[in-house]
Amino acid sequence: VYSAHEAPVPVLPGMYADVVGPVRLPDLQLGAFYIRSFDNQALLPLRNDAKRPTRLFSFVGTVKHAPEVRGRIVALQHPDALLLNRSSGMRDDDSDYVEMLRDSHFVLCPRGKGPTSWRIYETMMAARVPVIISDGWVPARDIDWLSCSLQVSESDIDSIPSLCAANVGRAQEMGLRARQEWESHCTLERAFGWVGRRLRE
């Protein structure tokens, strides 16, 4: 199976986008990406875009989906951060959300109702660096996460401003790498083959 349901209980072998880890059978119950992430063409990087992000990091999302994690995130303090407790939109024509992604070196991607979020893949699609904040996240295999993301445990949320500041010098390179990883696995042209190979294995 391929499942994008929130926090599913993995019974069958397959790929689960929002499974809670650790899974019982890690070689048969794999992490996955959200297929819908390639729908939003507004997230594609602009050609010849020389604009540098002005924000160190950002998060726009609803706190109520995971208040113990997201509440601490919106309470972070940094002069170059944008932290808003509101729906991120999830619409393909949400230009404000897309502009927020493009204007951020790092995009905070905390757990929601389940341990992951399609915000991770939207961020990669926009050539920005996802900061993944979820203790139960099961990463999709084959993606080189170390080269294109930062990962923070839920107990270390207060370290996010200093972590982003320490890595801002390589944020552009990491963002480009995130986009490359997305193109290699998550595009409409590549996704079916990637999922098919994993399910066959």
Side-chain angles (χ1 to χ4, degrees):
V1 299
Y2 166 90
S3 171
H5 291 292
E6 292 175 345
V9 177
V11 177
L12 298 173
M15 294 178 72
Y16 296 85
D18 203 31
V19 66
V20 179
V23 294
R24 186 170 54 90
L25 300 171
D27 289 330
L28 293 178
Q29 298 159 342
L30 309 179
F33 84 115
Y34 285 97
I35 289 178
R36 84 166 296 279
S37 66
F38 53 61
D39 287 344
N40 192 345
Q41 296 300 300
L43 289 167
L44 294 172
L46 301 175
R47 292 177 182 266
N48 303 318
D49 182 16
K51 179 184 176 183
R52 296 272 297 170
T54 64
R55 301 188 188 280
L56 179 60
F57 62 89
S58 64
F59 170 72
V60 177
T62 304
V63 167
K64 68 181 181 181
H65 288 166
E68 69 284 357
V69 173
R70 295 182 172 205
R72 292 175 59 202
I73 286 173
V74 298
L76 291 172
Q77 300 291 320
H78 193 281
D80 297 326
L82 174 67
L83 303 167
L84 298 177
N85 177 16
R86 73 163 178 84
S87 173
S88 61
M90 297 186 298
R91 302 188 320 271
D92 294 349
D93 61 348
D94 191 344
S95 58
D96 289 343
Y97 177 63
V98 172
E99 185 55 35
M100 178 273 296
L101 287 179
R102 287 206 178 109
D103 199 33
S104 306
H105 287 287
F106 300 94
V107 178
L108 307 190
C109 302
R111 61 166 297 126
K113 294 178 182 178
T116 191
S117 166
W118 57 51
R119 186 190 318 267
I120 296 171
Y121 300 96
E122 291 176 331
T123 301
M124 295 170 70
M125 185 176 180
R128 295 297 182 259
V129 185
V131 180
I132 302 164
I133 308 150
S134 175
D135 293 348
W137 177 59
V138 178
R141 294 188 185 180
D142 300 325
I143 293 177
D144 184 2
W145 293 105
L146 290 178
S147 72
C148 67
S149 70
L150 299 177
Q151 297 168 38
V152 178
S153 68
E154 293 174 18
S155 61
D156 291 335
I157 288 172
D158 292 342
S159 71
I160 288 173
S162 58
L163 178 66
C164 291
N167 286 279
V168 71
R170 62 190 194 108
Q172 183 177 13
E173 176 187 349
M174 292 178 71
L176 292 174
R177 182 64 185 174
R179 173 67 192 182
Q180 291 169 357
E181 290 292 315
W182 187 88
E183 289 178 345
S184 295
H185 300 93
C186 305
T187 61
L188 180 61
E189 294 78 15
R190 298 291 183 93
F192 184 80
W194 180 38
V195 172
R197 285 191 300 274
R198 276 298 178 197
L199 295 183
R200 184 183 64 209
E201 291 167 7

